[in-house]
Amino acid sequence: MPHPAPPAPHTPLARAGRALWRLPRLVLVGLVRVYQMGISPWLGPSCRYTPTCSEYAVQALRRYGAARGLVLAVWRIGRCHPWGGHGYDPPRWFGEAPADGAEGGAGRNGA
């Protein structure tokens, strides 16, 4: 007996579900953007990493979603201090290989 066809992905209910699923991520990205436009200009450039910690947070939230993106953003902010690492450090989940195959900069270990 054949399986019933799955619901069409473009139904109003499916669109509403996707919007609700993305809402936490959009709210967090919005908060970071408010920080970037309202607070960061007053603090001056001081980031040791590329991309900056706030841009890293936006990239992590967009790539990994609200929960994992928030974990990565907090982890990055915790590593951003005078005795921490520096250099190119794109967002990637723990244990995930670098996208270009090169570690670059301080990487995850901060050494």
Side-chain angles (χ1 to χ4, degrees):
M1 180 173 270
H3 294 286
H10 301 294
T11 64
L13 185 59
R15 282 192 300 254
R18 283 192 302 274
L20 285 175
W21 185 255
R22 288 189 306 244
L23 187 61
R25 176 178 39 184
L26 294 174
V27 168
L28 291 170
V29 168
L31 289 173
V32 173
R33 293 296 187 201
V34 166
Y35 164 79
Q36 286 177 327
M37 293 186 302
I39 299 171
S40 182
W42 293 94
L43 299 177
S46 62
C47 197
R48 302 172 54 83
Y49 289 103
T50 302
T52 64
C53 292
S54 58
E55 190 57 39
Y56 179 98
V58 170
Q59 290 176 13
L61 289 164
R62 287 186 175 159
R63 181 172 178 186
Y64 295 104
R68 282 184 165 189
L70 185 60
V71 168
L72 287 173
V74 169
W75 181 258
R76 169 68 171 273
I77 291 168
R79 292 184 292 128
C80 193
H81 53 79
W83 302 280
H86 64 280
Y88 181 66
D89 183 31
R92 59 183 187 267
W93 193 245
F94 303 99
E96 187 177 324
D100 60 1
E103 183 64 28
R108 288 275 173 236
N109 63 7

